[in-house]
Amino acid sequence: MTWKLFFTSSIGKKFIMALTGIFLITFLIVHCTINSMIFFNDAGETFNHWGHFMGSNLIVRTMEIGLFVFLLLHIVQGLILWRQNNKARPIKYAVNNANKNSKWYSRSMGLLGTLILIFLVMHLYHFWTPSRFGGMIGIKALDEVNLDVYNNETVHNLYAEMKLVFENNLLIVIVYILGVISLCWHLLHGFQSAFQTLGVNHKRYTPIIKGAGVVYSLVICVLFALMPIAFYLHWIN
């Protein structure tokens, strides 16, 4: 089989989904770690420092382009596979005990992926676009603050932006929490599925991977959910 045929086949698409999924899983660890620095409760100094580093470092900015490519590829391939699976079974089985045959989140990856995409667009609108472009039409530009501890560099106050978005906006907080819940369900299936697609499937290792996937999904998503909640309930200043 040629490379072209492989990557356009169903197996090839699943392989790309697995590779891009593992890349995004790694990115979430970095993203969650930096965002969790708001819990230092130091008026955002630590968080803003590392946020500025991620936004100004040439290597990180280059990797950011790769991240968007992988993210779009992951979404497109996921929707294609979801559509192919539905087309392959135009007439539903007369007897279909779905609860026994598969988990709910396994059967709903297309729906969950769409909800995560909507959440992602909202997230980029609130934080990534203004921080990278200094504000665009219809998007509030971030206030810049001079922080001496950052060698007198002027940095975007991302902490203030998070506070502005979440502090008095219950509806936005609820939408973010629902987005994180969708992400959690997506990861619970996708984590182990990615390794299985890449051939890591053994009676000795699979239970460990499944367990790691559950711990990873819960820790990452609980931390992400706590961020808007913490601002809204004034747990941090």
Side-chain angles (χ1 to χ4, degrees), residues 1-75:
M1 181 182 288
T2 65
W3 284 108
K4 182 179 180 180
L5 287 174
F6 174 74
F7 284 115
T8 55
S9 67
S10 179
I11 295 175
K13 290 185 177 73
K14 290 180 180 179
F15 186 78
I16 293 173
M17 280 288 290
L19 286 179
T20 54
I22 290 175
F23 181 87
L24 295 172
I25 284 170
T26 306
F27 162 75
L28 283 176
I29 295 174
V30 177
H31 188 43
C32 187
T33 300
I34 292 175
N35 281 17
S36 294
M37 291 178 183
I38 64 170
F39 297 117
F40 278 100
N41 208 12
D42 57 359
E45 288 193 7
T46 305
F47 171 68
N48 279 337
H49 171 69
W50 285 102
H52 176 64
F53 170 78
M54 296 294 288
S56 59
N57 184 275
L58 182 60
I59 296 175
V60 175
R61 292 301 298 272
T62 303
M63 291 177 64
E64 197 173 70
I65 297 172
L67 170 66
F68 274 105
V69 172
F70 279 119
L71 181 59
L72 288 173
L73 193 58
H74 189 78
I75 293 170

Coordinates of all heavy atoms in Angstrom, one line a residue, residues 1-75:
M1 N 0.8 -1.2 0.0 CA 0.0 0.0 0.0 C 0.9 1.2 0.0 O 1.8 1.4 0.8 CB -0.9 0.0 1.2 CG -1.8 1.2 1.3 SD -2.8 1.3 2.8 CE -4.0 -0.1 2.5
T2 N 0.6 2.2 -0.9 CA 1.3 3.4 -0.9 C 0.9 4.3 0.2 O -0.1 4.1 0.9 CB 1.1 4.2 -2.3 OG1 -0.3 4.6 -2.3 CG2 1.4 3.3 -3.5
W3 N 1.8 5.4 0.5 CA 1.5 6.3 1.6 C 0.2 7.0 1.4 O -0.5 7.3 2.3 CB 2.7 7.3 1.8 CG 3.9 6.7 2.4 CD1 5.1 6.3 1.8 CD2 4.0 6.3 3.8 NE1 5.9 5.8 2.8 CE2 5.3 5.8 4.0 CE3 3.2 6.3 4.9 CZ2 5.8 5.3 5.2 CZ3 3.6 5.9 6.1 CH2 4.9 5.4 6.3
K4 N 0.0 7.4 0.1 CA -1.2 8.1 -0.2 C -2.5 7.3 0.1 O -3.4 7.8 0.7 CB -1.2 8.5 -1.7 CG -2.4 9.4 -2.1 CD -2.4 9.8 -3.6 CE -3.6 10.6 -4.0 NZ -3.5 11.0 -5.4
L5 N -2.4 6.0 -0.4 CA -3.6 5.1 -0.1 C -3.7 4.9 1.4 O -4.9 4.8 1.9 CB -3.4 3.8 -0.8 CG -3.6 3.8 -2.3 CD1 -3.2 2.5 -2.9 CD2 -5.0 4.2 -2.7
F6 N -2.6 4.8 2.1 CA -2.7 4.5 3.6 C -3.4 5.7 4.3 O -4.3 5.5 5.1 CB -1.3 4.3 4.1 CG -1.2 4.2 5.6 CD1 -1.7 3.0 6.2 CD2 -0.8 5.2 6.4 CE1 -1.7 2.9 7.6 CE2 -0.8 5.1 7.8 CZ -1.2 4.0 8.4
F7 N -2.9 6.9 4.0 CA -3.5 8.1 4.7 C -4.9 8.5 4.3 O -5.5 9.2 5.0 CB -2.5 9.3 4.6 CG -1.3 9.1 5.4 CD1 0.0 9.0 4.9 CD2 -1.4 9.1 6.8 CE1 1.1 8.9 5.6 CE2 -0.2 9.0 7.6 CZ 1.0 8.9 7.0
T8 N -5.3 7.9 3.2 CA -6.7 8.2 2.8 C -7.6 7.0 3.1 O -8.8 7.1 2.9 CB -6.8 8.4 1.2 OG1 -6.2 7.3 0.5 CG2 -6.1 9.7 0.9
S9 N -7.1 5.9 3.6 CA -7.9 4.8 4.1 C -8.4 5.0 5.4 O -8.0 5.9 6.2 CB -7.0 3.5 4.1 OG -6.0 3.6 5.1
S10 N -9.4 4.2 5.9 CA -10.0 4.3 7.2 C -8.9 4.1 8.3 O -8.9 4.8 9.3 CB -11.1 3.3 7.3 OG -11.6 3.4 8.6
I11 N -8.0 3.1 8.1 CA -6.9 2.9 9.0 C -6.0 4.1 9.1 O -5.6 4.5 10.2 CB -6.2 1.6 8.6 CG1 -7.1 0.4 8.7 CG2 -4.9 1.4 9.5 CD1 -6.4 -0.9 8.3
G12 N -5.7 4.6 7.9 CA -4.8 5.8 7.9 C -5.4 7.0 8.7 O -4.7 7.7 9.4
K13 N -6.7 7.2 8.5 CA -7.3 8.3 9.1 C -7.3 8.1 10.6 O -7.1 9.1 11.4 CB -8.8 8.5 8.6 CG -8.9 9.0 7.2 CD -10.4 9.2 6.8 CE -10.5 9.7 5.4 NZ -10.2 8.7 4.4
K14 N -7.5 6.9 11.1 CA -7.5 6.6 12.5 C -6.1 6.8 13.1 O -5.9 7.2 14.2 CB -8.0 5.2 12.8 CG -9.5 5.0 12.6 CD -9.9 3.6 12.9 CE -11.4 3.4 12.6 NZ -11.9 2.0 12.9
F15 N -5.1 6.4 12.3 CA -3.7 6.6 12.7 C -3.4 8.1 12.9 O -2.7 8.5 13.8 CB -2.8 6.0 11.6 CG -1.3 6.0 11.9 CD1 -0.8 5.1 12.8 CD2 -0.5 7.0 11.4 CE1 0.5 5.1 13.1 CE2 0.9 7.0 11.7 CZ 1.4 6.0 12.6
I16 N -3.8 8.9 11.9 CA -3.6 10.4 12.0 C -4.4 10.9 13.3 O -3.8 11.8 14.0 CB -4.1 11.1 10.8 CG1 -3.2 10.7 9.6 CG2 -4.1 12.6 11.0 CD1 -3.7 11.2 8.2
M17 N -5.6 10.4 13.5 CA -6.4 10.8 14.7 C -5.6 10.5 16.0 O -5.5 11.3 16.9 CB -7.7 10.1 14.7 CG -8.8 10.7 13.8 SD -9.4 12.3 14.4 CE -10.3 11.7 15.8
A18 N -5.0 9.3 16.0 CA -4.2 8.9 17.2 C -3.0 9.8 17.4 O -2.7 10.3 18.5 CB -3.8 7.5 17.0
L19 N -2.2 10.1 16.3 CA -1.0 10.9 16.5 C -1.3 12.3 16.9 O -0.7 12.9 17.8 CB -0.2 10.9 15.2 CG 0.6 9.6 14.8 CD1 1.2 9.8 13.4 CD2 1.6 9.3 15.9
T20 N -2.3 12.9 16.2 CA -2.7 14.3 16.6 C -3.3 14.3 17.9 O -3.1 15.3 18.7 CB -3.7 14.9 15.5 OG1 -4.8 14.0 15.4 CG2 -3.0 15.0 14.2
G21 N -4.0 13.3 18.3 CA -4.6 13.2 19.6 C -3.6 13.2 20.7 O -3.7 13.9 21.7
I22 N -2.5 12.4 20.6 CA -1.5 12.4 21.6 C -0.7 13.7 21.7 O -0.4 14.2 22.7 CB -0.5 11.2 21.2 CG1 -1.2 9.9 21.5 CG2 0.8 11.3 22.0 CD1 -0.4 8.7 21.1
F23 N -0.5 14.3 20.5 CA 0.1 15.7 20.5 C -0.8 16.7 21.3 O -0.3 17.4 22.1 CB 0.2 16.2 19.1 CG 0.9 17.5 19.0 CD1 2.3 17.6 19.0 CD2 0.1 18.7 18.9 CE1 2.9 18.9 18.9 CE2 0.7 19.9 18.9 CZ 2.1 20.0 18.8
L24 N -2.1 16.6 21.1 CA -3.0 17.5 21.8 C -3.1 17.2 23.3 O -3.2 18.1 24.1 CB -4.4 17.5 21.2 CG -4.4 18.0 19.7 CD1 -5.8 17.8 19.1 CD2 -4.1 19.5 19.7
I25 N -3.0 15.9 23.6 CA -3.0 15.5 25.0 C -1.8 16.1 25.7 O -1.8 16.6 26.9 CB -3.0 14.0 25.2 CG1 -4.4 13.4 24.9 CG2 -2.5 13.5 26.5 CD1 -4.4 11.9 24.7
T26 N -0.6 16.1 25.1 CA 0.6 16.7 25.6 C 0.5 18.2 25.8 O 0.9 18.8 26.8 CB 1.8 16.4 24.7 OG1 1.9 14.9 24.5 CG2 3.1 16.9 25.3
F27 N -0.1 18.8 24.8 CA -0.3 20.3 24.8 C -1.2 20.6 26.0 O -1.0 21.6 26.7 CB -1.0 20.8 23.5 CG -1.6 22.1 23.7 CD1 -0.8 23.3 23.7 CD2 -3.0 22.3 23.8 CE1 -1.4 24.5 23.9 CE2 -3.6 23.5 23.9 CZ -2.8 24.6 24.0
L28 N -2.3 19.8 26.3 CA -3.2 20.2 27.4 C -2.5 20.2 28.7 O -2.8 20.9 29.6 CB -4.3 19.2 27.4 CG -5.4 19.4 26.4 CD1 -6.5 18.3 26.5 CD2 -6.1 20.7 26.6
I29 N -1.4 19.3 28.9 CA -0.7 19.3 30.1 C 0.0 20.6 30.3 O 0.0 21.2 31.4 CB 0.3 18.1 30.1 CG1 -0.4 16.8 30.1 CG2 1.3 18.2 31.3 CD1 0.6 15.6 29.9
V30 N 0.7 21.1 29.3 CA 1.4 22.4 29.3 C 0.4 23.5 29.6 O 0.6 24.4 30.5 CB 2.2 22.6 28.0 CG1 2.9 24.0 28.1 CG2 3.2 21.5 27.8
H31 N -0.6 23.5 28.8 CA -1.6 24.6 28.9 C -2.3 24.7 30.3 O -2.4 25.7 30.9 CB -2.7 24.4 27.8 CG -3.7 25.5 27.7 ND1 -3.3 26.8 27.7 CD2 -5.0 25.5 27.6 CE1 -4.3 27.6 27.6 NE2 -5.4 26.8 27.5
C32 N -2.6 23.5 30.8 CA -3.3 23.4 32.1 C -2.3 23.8 33.2 O -2.7 24.5 34.2 CB -3.8 22.0 32.4 SG -4.8 21.9 33.9
T33 N -1.0 23.4 33.1 CA 0.0 23.7 34.1 C 0.2 25.3 34.2 O 0.2 25.8 35.3 CB 1.3 23.1 33.8 OG1 1.2 21.7 33.7 CG2 2.4 23.4 34.8
I34 N 0.3 25.9 33.1 CA 0.5 27.4 33.1 C -0.7 28.1 33.6 O -0.6 29.0 34.4 CB 0.9 27.9 31.7 CG1 2.3 27.3 31.3 CG2 0.9 29.4 31.6 CD1 2.7 27.7 29.9
N35 N -1.9 27.7 33.1 CA -3.1 28.3 33.6 C -3.4 28.1 35.1 O -3.9 29.0 35.8 CB -4.4 27.8 32.8 CG -4.5 28.5 31.4 OD1 -3.5 29.0 30.9 ND2 -5.6 28.4 30.8
S36 N -2.9 27.0 35.6 CA -3.1 26.7 37.0 C -2.3 27.6 37.9 O -2.5 27.7 39.1 CB -2.7 25.2 37.3 OG -3.6 24.4 36.7
M37 N -1.4 28.4 37.3 CA -0.6 29.3 38.1 C -1.4 30.5 38.7 O -0.9 31.2 39.5 CB 0.6 29.8 37.3 CG 1.6 28.7 37.0 SD 3.0 29.2 36.0 CE 3.9 27.7 35.9
I38 N -2.7 30.6 38.2 CA -3.5 31.6 38.8 C -3.8 31.3 40.3 O -4.1 32.2 41.1 CB -4.9 31.7 38.1 CG1 -5.7 30.5 38.2 CG2 -4.7 32.1 36.6 CD1 -7.1 30.6 37.7
F39 N -3.7 30.0 40.7 CA -4.0 29.6 42.0 C -2.8 30.0 43.0 O -3.0 29.7 44.2 CB -4.2 28.1 42.1 CG -5.5 27.7 41.3 CD1 -5.4 26.9 40.2 CD2 -6.7 28.2 41.6 CE1 -6.5 26.5 39.5 CE2 -7.9 27.8 40.9 CZ -7.7 27.0 39.8
F40 N -1.7 30.5 42.5 CA -0.7 31.1 43.4 C -1.3 32.3 44.1 O -0.8 32.7 45.1 CB 0.5 31.5 42.6 CG 1.5 30.4 42.3 CD1 1.5 29.8 41.0 CD2 2.4 29.9 43.3 CE1 2.4 28.7 40.8 CE2 3.2 28.9 43.0 CZ 3.3 28.3 41.7
N41 N -2.4 32.9 43.6 CA -3.1 34.0 44.2 C -2.1 35.2 44.5 O -2.2 35.8 45.6 CB -3.7 33.5 45.5 CG -5.0 34.4 45.8 OD1 -5.4 35.2 45.0 ND2 -5.5 34.2 47.0
D42 N -1.3 35.5 43.5 CA -0.3 36.6 43.6 C -0.7 37.7 42.7 O 0.2 38.4 42.1 CB 1.1 36.1 43.4 CG 1.3 35.4 42.1 OD1 0.3 35.3 41.3 OD2 2.4 35.0 41.8
A43 N -2.0 38.0 42.5 CA -2.4 39.0 41.5 C -2.0 38.7 40.1 O -1.9 39.6 39.3 CB -2.0 40.4 42.0
G44 N -1.7 37.5 39.8 CA -1.5 37.1 38.4 C 0.0 37.2 38.0 O 0.3 37.0 36.8
E45 N 0.9 37.6 38.9 CA 2.3 37.8 38.5 C 2.9 36.6 37.9 O 3.5 36.6 36.8 CB 3.1 38.3 39.7 CG 2.8 39.7 40.1 CD 3.8 40.3 41.0 OE1 4.8 39.7 41.2 OE2 3.5 41.4 41.5
T46 N 2.8 35.4 38.6 CA 3.4 34.2 38.0 C 2.8 33.8 36.7 O 3.4 33.4 35.8 CB 3.3 33.0 39.1 OG1 3.8 33.5 40.3 CG2 4.0 31.8 38.6
F47 N 1.4 33.8 36.7 CA 0.7 33.4 35.5 C 1.1 34.3 34.3 O 1.3 33.9 33.2 CB -0.8 33.5 35.8 CG -1.7 33.3 34.6 CD1 -1.7 32.1 33.9 CD2 -2.4 34.4 34.1 CE1 -2.5 32.0 32.7 CE2 -3.2 34.2 33.0 CZ -3.2 33.0 32.3
N48 N 1.1 35.7 34.5 CA 1.4 36.6 33.5 C 2.8 36.4 33.0 O 3.1 36.6 31.8 CB 1.2 38.0 33.9 CG -0.2 38.5 33.9 OD1 -1.0 37.9 33.2 ND2 -0.6 39.5 34.7
H49 N 3.7 36.1 33.9 CA 5.1 35.9 33.5 C 5.2 34.7 32.5 O 5.9 34.9 31.4 CB 6.0 35.6 34.7 CG 7.4 35.2 34.4 ND1 8.3 36.0 33.9 CD2 8.0 34.0 34.6 CE1 9.4 35.4 33.7 NE2 9.3 34.1 34.1
W50 N 4.6 33.6 32.9 CA 4.8 32.4 32.0 C 3.9 32.6 30.7 O 4.2 32.1 29.7 CB 4.4 31.2 32.7 CG 5.5 30.8 33.7 CD1 5.6 31.0 35.0 CD2 6.8 30.2 33.3 NE1 6.8 30.5 35.5 CE2 7.5 30.0 34.5 CE3 7.3 29.8 32.1 CZ2 8.8 29.5 34.5 CZ3 8.6 29.2 32.1 CH2 9.3 29.1 33.3
G51 N 2.8 33.3 30.9 CA 1.9 33.6 29.7 C 2.7 34.4 28.7 O 2.6 34.2 27.5
H52 N 3.5 35.4 29.2 CA 4.3 36.3 28.3 C 5.4 35.5 27.7 O 5.7 35.6 26.5 CB 4.9 37.4 29.2 CG 5.8 38.3 28.4 ND1 5.4 39.1 27.3 CD2 7.2 38.5 28.5 CE1 6.4 39.7 26.8 NE2 7.5 39.4 27.5
F53 N 6.0 34.5 28.4 CA 7.0 33.7 27.8 C 6.5 32.9 26.7 O 7.1 32.8 25.6 CB 7.6 32.8 28.9 CG 8.5 31.7 28.4 CD1 9.8 32.0 28.0 CD2 8.1 30.4 28.2 CE1 10.7 31.0 27.5 CE2 8.9 29.4 27.7 CZ 10.2 29.7 27.3
M54 N 5.3 32.2 26.9 CA 4.7 31.4 25.9 C 4.3 32.2 24.6 O 4.3 31.7 23.5 CB 3.4 30.7 26.4 CG 3.7 29.7 27.6 SD 4.7 28.3 27.0 CE 3.5 27.4 26.1
G55 N 3.9 33.5 24.9 CA 3.5 34.3 23.8 C 4.6 35.0 23.0 O 4.4 35.6 21.9
S56 N 5.8 35.1 23.6 CA 6.9 35.8 23.0 C 8.1 34.9 22.5 O 8.9 35.4 21.8 CB 7.4 36.9 24.0 OG 7.9 36.3 25.2
N57 N 8.2 33.7 23.0 CA 9.3 32.8 22.7 C 9.1 32.3 21.3 O 8.0 31.8 20.9 CB 9.3 31.7 23.7 CG 10.5 30.7 23.4 OD1 10.4 29.8 22.6 ND2 11.6 31.0 24.1
L58 N 10.1 32.5 20.4 CA 10.1 32.1 19.0 C 9.8 30.6 18.8 O 9.0 30.3 17.9 CB 11.4 32.5 18.3 CG 11.4 32.2 16.8 CD1 10.3 33.0 16.1 CD2 12.8 32.6 16.2
I59 N 10.4 29.8 19.6 CA 10.2 28.3 19.5 C 8.8 28.0 19.8 O 8.1 27.2 19.1 CB 11.2 27.6 20.4 CG1 12.6 27.8 20.0 CG2 10.9 26.1 20.4 CD1 13.7 27.2 20.9
V60 N 8.3 28.6 20.9 CA 6.9 28.3 21.3 C 5.9 28.8 20.2 O 4.9 28.1 19.9 CB 6.6 28.9 22.7 CG1 5.1 28.7 23.0 CG2 7.5 28.3 23.7
R61 N 6.1 30.0 19.7 CA 5.2 30.5 18.7 C 5.2 29.6 17.4 O 4.2 29.5 16.8 CB 5.6 31.9 18.3 CG 5.4 33.0 19.4 CD 4.0 33.0 19.9 NE 3.1 33.5 18.9 CZ 2.8 34.7 18.6 NH1 3.3 35.7 19.3 NH2 1.9 35.0 17.7
T62 N 6.4 29.1 17.1 CA 6.5 28.2 15.9 C 5.7 26.9 16.2 O 5.0 26.4 15.3 CB 8.0 27.9 15.6 OG1 8.7 29.1 15.4 CG2 8.1 27.0 14.4
M63 N 5.9 26.4 17.4 CA 5.1 25.2 17.8 C 3.6 25.4 17.8 O 2.8 24.5 17.5 CB 5.6 24.7 19.1 CG 7.0 24.1 19.1 SD 7.5 23.6 20.8 CE 6.4 22.3 21.1
E64 N 3.3 26.7 18.1 CA 1.9 27.1 18.1 C 1.2 26.9 16.7 O 0.0 26.5 16.6 CB 1.7 28.5 18.5 CG 0.4 29.0 19.0 CD 0.4 30.4 19.5 OE1 0.6 31.3 18.7 OE2 0.3 30.5 20.8
I65 N 2.0 27.2 15.7 CA 1.5 27.0 14.3 C 1.2 25.5 14.1 O 0.1 25.1 13.5 CB 2.5 27.5 13.3 CG1 2.6 29.0 13.4 CG2 2.0 27.2 11.8 CD1 3.8 29.6 12.6
G66 N 2.1 24.6 14.5 CA 2.0 23.2 14.4 C 0.8 22.7 15.2 O 0.0 21.8 14.8
L67 N 0.5 23.3 16.4 CA -0.6 23.0 17.2 C -1.9 23.2 16.4 O -2.8 22.3 16.4 CB -0.6 23.8 18.5 CG -1.8 23.7 19.3 CD1 -2.0 22.3 19.9 CD2 -1.8 24.7 20.5
F68 N -2.0 24.4 15.8 CA -3.3 24.7 15.0 C -3.4 23.7 13.9 O -4.6 23.3 13.6 CB -3.2 26.1 14.5 CG -3.7 27.1 15.6 CD1 -2.9 27.9 16.2 CD2 -5.1 27.2 15.8 CE1 -3.3 28.8 17.2 CE2 -5.6 28.1 16.8 CZ -4.7 28.9 17.5
V69 N -2.3 23.4 13.2 CA -2.4 22.4 12.1 C -2.9 21.1 12.6 O -3.8 20.4 12.0 CB -1.1 22.2 11.4 CG1 -1.1 21.1 10.4 CG2 -0.7 23.6 10.7
F70 N -2.3 20.6 13.7 CA -2.7 19.3 14.3 C -4.2 19.3 14.8 O -4.9 18.3 14.6 CB -1.8 18.9 15.4 CG -0.5 18.2 14.9 CD1 0.7 18.8 15.2 CD2 -0.5 17.1 14.2 CE1 1.9 18.2 14.8 CE2 0.7 16.5 13.8 CZ 1.9 17.1 14.1
L71 N -4.5 20.4 15.4 CA -5.9 20.6 15.9 C -6.9 20.5 14.8 O -7.9 19.8 14.9 CB -6.0 21.9 16.7 CG -7.4 22.2 17.3 CD1 -7.7 21.1 18.3 CD2 -7.4 23.5 18.0
L72 N -6.7 21.3 13.7 CA -7.6 21.3 12.6 C -7.7 19.9 11.9 O -8.7 19.4 11.6 CB -7.2 22.3 11.6 CG -7.4 23.8 12.0 CD1 -6.8 24.7 10.9 CD2 -8.9 24.1 12.1
L73 N -6.5 19.2 11.8 CA -6.4 17.9 11.2 C -7.2 16.9 12.1 O -7.9 16.1 11.5 CB -5.0 17.5 11.1 CG -4.7 16.2 10.2 CD1 -5.2 16.5 8.8 CD2 -3.2 16.0 10.2
H74 N -7.1 17.0 13.4 CA -7.8 16.1 14.3 C -9.3 16.3 14.2 O -10.0 15.3 14.1 CB -7.3 16.5 15.7 CG -7.8 15.5 16.8 ND1 -7.2 14.2 16.9 CD2 -8.8 15.5 17.6 CE1 -7.9 13.6 17.9 NE2 -8.8 14.3 18.3
I75 N -9.7 17.6 14.1 CA -11.2 17.8 14.0 C -11.7 17.3 12.7 O -12.7 16.6 12.6 CB -11.4 19.4 14.1 CG1 -11.1 19.8 15.6 CG2 -12.9 19.7 13.8 CD1 -11.1 21.3 15.7

